Amino acid sequence: MVESRDRDFVRRFGRNLRRVRLELDLSQEEIAERAGITNKYLSEIENGKRSVRLAVAHRLSHALGKTLDELSASEAAGKPSKSYQIEPRLTDLLRRLETAEKRRAYGILKAAFKD
């Protein structure tokens, strides 16, 4: 039955979304802001109470640094990853820095990871 598969997908997407958000130690408020949606809408998506438009799903995946495939994966494929995704947090941090602070951060990272 199509409706049952649709409901399963909505629930799975919401569970994966919440799992990834928590792995990244991000609040619903942070992700909702990044994706341009309300906290209430995000909560309803995570709880499987609302389906998500494709455009919103794309913004959510981008906000979490994941692909749509990763967020819609089945339970077996969607198990928590062992690696901690730092890129979205670094990007967010860099976005908030002034130009001089970005240059300083770049210099520190370059010196720390010289070949």
Side-chain angles (χ1 to χ4, degrees):
M1 178 180 215
V2 174
E3 289 181 15
S4 176
R5 285 190 309 211
D6 289 349
R7 271 182 274 142
D8 289 345
F9 176 82
V10 168
R11 288 185 192 121
R12 182 174 59 244
F13 185 87
R15 279 193 306 266
N16 288 340
L17 183 66
R18 174 184 285 126
R19 176 185 50 76
V20 171
R21 179 180 60 77
L22 293 174
E23 281 180 0
L24 296 173
D25 195 30
L26 296 169
S27 69
Q28 282 185 335
E29 292 79 16
E30 289 173 291
I31 296 304
E33 183 178 325
R34 289 180 187 183
I37 61 174
T38 65
N39 297 348
K40 182 179 182 209
Y41 184 32
L42 178 58
S43 176
E44 290 171 345
I45 293 168
E46 285 189 348
N47 289 307
K49 294 180 180 176
R50 294 247 333 245
S51 60
V52 60
R53 292 187 349 244
L54 184 58
V56 173
H58 181 263
R59 292 194 315 255
L60 287 166
S61 69
H62 182 73
L64 293 168
K66 296 289 184 177
T67 65
L68 284 175
D69 285 344
E70 290 172 304
L71 292 180
S72 59
S74 66
E75 297 300 320
K79 289 189 178 177
S81 65
K82 300 207 188 245
S83 64
Y84 183 76
Q85 289 239 349
I86 194 82
E87 292 89 356
R89 296 183 80 172
L90 282 172
T91 301
D92 187 50
L93 175 64
L94 287 170
R95 228 181 261 133
R96 291 182 277 151
L97 296 177
E98 299 293 327
T99 302
E101 294 170 315
K102 288 178 185 177
R103 285 188 185 119
R104 193 170 341 126
Y106 175 76
I108 291 168
L109 288 170
K110 187 176 176 182
F113 297 102
K114 270 189 176 178
D115 290 81

